[in-house]
Amino acid sequence: MNLIHKIEKIYKNMFNDEPLLVRSPGRLNLIGEHTDYNLGFVLPAAINKAVYFAVAPRQDKTCKLFAADLNEAFDFTLDRLVKSDKHWPNYLMGVVDQLIKAGHEINGFNCVFGGDIPIGAGLSSSAAIEAGLAFSLNQIFDLHIDKLSLVKLAQKAENEFVGVNCGIMDQFINIFGESGNALRIDCRSLDYELVPFDYDNISLVFFNTNVLHSLASSEYNLRRAECGKGVEIIKKEFSQVNSLRDVSRDLLNTFKSKMEPLTFQRCKYVVEENERLLKACEALKVHDLNTFGALMYQTHEGLSRDYEVSCPELDFLVDETKDIPAVYGARMMGGGFGGCTINIIENEFVESVSSSISKKYKQKFNREASVYVTKIGGGTSIVCKEENAAIR
Ligand code: GLA
């Protein structure tokens, strides 16, 4: 049974009415890491792993949630939104909280959700839940919220209710993703450009360290604060500088002696990463995957040494690919401290490369590395009944 059918069935058994069915994807990011909250550039794409929702309105103020993958239920009412120790309900309650704060009229609702995005793997299961619910409630309550406002609302849910000061990338690509394309998002203007990424001869492959670092969200918030500290120092002399996006490598260098070494190191990574992303997009225009891959390795180096958000397991998985000609590039992806690496590998070698790296990983860390070959898909959308019937 496919996943959406499974979610629909659970929903109908529990609530016995016709729900709206929605597919909300995870994401990859080709390059441009930890640049979004510094108002720089990112290059993400939606993937073929997703969270599926079955949702319908109720006549009262009760919201009934059921997390199918965890087999756990959680109920709350619209007039009492209190952070839960269970953690997962917070991603959903955060969205409801934002809708109410923005003055939207909603009722209670029933919601069953679940999918195949591994949690904590850096594939953005949290944004898929937030943006997927925001999209679904927008539909069932006819709220007429435009796409960009949905993105911002879902991001704010994570910032304010979950407490992670994330940037806008994950929610943005979740809503705006397009099949066969990455999006070059300018996180300052929020404009974006489609960047085709549709090669017959290569695959996008994730190696999951299966390491979940509890440090991830606190260190994430700390990195963001460190970048802010750098901006403050520069702004004292250059008032037009509002983020690291406004800072060139040369300007940053003139402030080296005025910053703590760690602050400088963090800012340096971000400024360089924005430059790298622009070069990477130029390389893609001429289908130069060798240059693109080399830039991915440089990004990893920066994330590991300067930004310090990698971990030995991620470093190992990236290092092991370096001498394999069939691998164009690899790097850690997402917030860091665990999760996946993203690899560009020639199709015919995907299996041999994956099995040899998994074996070495197991020997070194006594832990399995999961392997996913992914495809770029579209953003969050309604699953229509015919489509659902056809894939059943
Ligand atoms: C997480 C955040 C994003 C982004 C990445 C790092 O996925 O949610 O906003 O900052 O980390 O690039």
Side-chain angles (χ1 to χ4, degrees):
M1 195 178 358
N2 71 57
L3 286 167
I4 184 66
H5 181 43
K6 179 183 144 198
I7 297 299
E8 184 186 19
K9 200 165 167 199
I10 297 174
Y11 181 95
K12 286 188 171 167
N13 284 338
M14 290 179 90
F15 302 112
N16 202 25
D17 59 13
E18 269 308 314
L20 172 79
L21 301 177
V22 167
R23 174 188 177 277
S24 176
R27 63 105 186 87
L28 56 77
N29 186 22
L30 291 170
I31 198 161
E33 214 66 86
H34 285 274
T35 41
D36 62 349
Y37 53 84
N38 288 301
L39 306 191
F41 297 103
V42 290
L43 192 60
I47 58 173
N48 57 349
K49 286 188 181 294
V51 177
Y52 296 90
F53 287 86
V55 194
R58 294 171 58 93
Q59 300 307 319
D60 57 13
K61 300 276 169 210
T62 304
C63 303
K64 287 187 171 286
L65 307 175
F66 185 73
D69 301 330
L70 306 173
N71 201 24
E72 275 185 21
F74 185 86
D75 294 358
F76 64 98
T77 55
L78 293 177
D79 44 20
R80 216 180 115 71
L81 298 176
V82 184
K83 228 172 150 169
S84 160
D85 292 340
K86 268 191 175 169
H87 202 60
W88 67 262
N90 296 333
Y91 295 96
L92 301 135
M93 272 195 285
V95 169
V96 173
D97 181 49
Q98 287 303 324
L99 284 172
I100 293 172
K101 282 184 176 152
H104 294 291
E105 299 266 330
I106 58 169
N107 258 343
F109 57 90
N110 298 324
C111 169
V112 175
F113 71 99
D116 59 357
I117 309 176
I119 292 173
L123 304 181
S124 218
S125 54
S126 35
I129 292 174
E130 293 148 356
L133 184 71
F135 177 96
S136 305
L137 297 182
N138 191 29
Q139 293 291 328
I140 64 170
F141 293 117
D142 228 355
L143 302 175
H144 301 286
I145 305 174
D146 65 89
K147 279 173 132 186
L148 188 56
S149 303
L150 277 183
V151 167
K152 290 180 179 168
L153 190 142
Q155 181 198 11
K156 241 175 149 196
E158 175 132 2
N159 294 163
E160 293 183 6
F161 211 88
V162 180
V164 178
N165 233 342
C166 67
I168 202 163
M169 168 170 73
D170 302 350
Q171 291 81 6
F172 197 109
I173 191 64
N174 176 282
I175 294 288
F176 284 95
E178 291 214 16
S179 198
N181 288 280
L183 262 57
R184 195 195 85 165
I185 307 168
D186 177 336
C187 299
R188 182 169 64 186
S189 66
L190 297 181
D191 288 339
Y192 70 91
E193 202 177 282
L194 294 182
V195 177
F197 198 93
D198 212 0
Y199 296 85
D200 288 340
N201 59 328
I202 59 133
S203 298
L204 289 164
V205 183
F206 302 133
F207 295 146
N208 189 352
T209 57
N210 287 312
V211 174
L212 293 175
H213 275 250
S214 53
L215 277 180
S217 51
S218 55
E219 285 291 318
Y220 184 94
N221 289 349
L222 187 62
R223 291 299 175 284
R224 191 166 177 162
E226 285 166 339
C227 293
K229 220 162 131 186
V231 171
E232 280 312 304
I233 293 170
I234 302 172
K235 199 177 171 61
K236 275 189 197 137
E237 291 176 43
F238 291 87
S239 59
Q240 70 276 28
V241 167
N242 293 312
S243 69
L244 286 177
R245 169 66 181 283
D246 306 327
V247 178
S248 67
R249 199 190 275 246
D250 288 345
L251 180 62
L252 181 66
N253 282 333
T254 63
F255 279 86
K256 189 168 182 180
S257 57
K258 297 180 187 164
M259 284 181 190
E260 283 168 29
L262 202 61
T263 311
F264 178 78
Q265 195 176 310
R266 306 295 194 233
C267 295
K268 172 175 162 285
Y269 161 76
V270 173
V271 168
E272 288 176 356
E273 180 68 351
N274 275 323
E275 286 179 3
R276 258 192 301 271
L277 184 141
L278 295 175
K279 281 189 205 153
C281 288
E282 288 308 308
L284 283 187
K285 272 191 195 149
V286 291
H287 305 288
D288 179 359
L289 287 179
N290 287 316
T291 301
F292 191 86
L295 291 163
M296 287 172 78
Y297 283 118
Q298 285 176 25
T299 291
H300 185 80
E301 199 72 8
L303 286 165
S304 180
R305 303 232 173 124
D306 291 336
Y307 217 61
E308 295 182 288
V309 291
S310 187
C311 61
E313 292 85 350
L314 285 167
D315 289 345
F316 180 84
L317 287 175
V318 171
D319 282 346
E320 286 302 313
T321 65
K322 280 186 178 154
D323 295 328
I324 307 177
V327 182
Y328 287 94
R331 63 175 197 85
M332 59 150 277
M333 193 179 74
F337 302 103
C340 290
T341 63
I342 175 170
N343 302 262
I344 299 184
I345 309 181
E346 279 175 25
N347 286 342
E348 48 192 307
F349 295 96
V350 167
E351 242 178 80
S352 57
V353 170
S354 307
S355 76
S356 114
I357 289 191
S358 306
K359 217 179 274 162
K360 289 183 185 161
Y361 185 77
K362 173 87 183 174
Q363 273 165 10
K364 171 96 177 164
F365 296 103
N366 196 24
R367 193 191 278 275
E368 302 293 334
S370 326
V371 179
Y372 322 115
V373 179
T374 195
K375 290 253 173 304
I376 294 183
T380 290
S381 61
I382 294 173
V383 181
C384 52
K385 299 282 174 206
E386 301 80 65
E387 195 184 317
N388 188 21
I391 52 179
R392 214 167 263 187

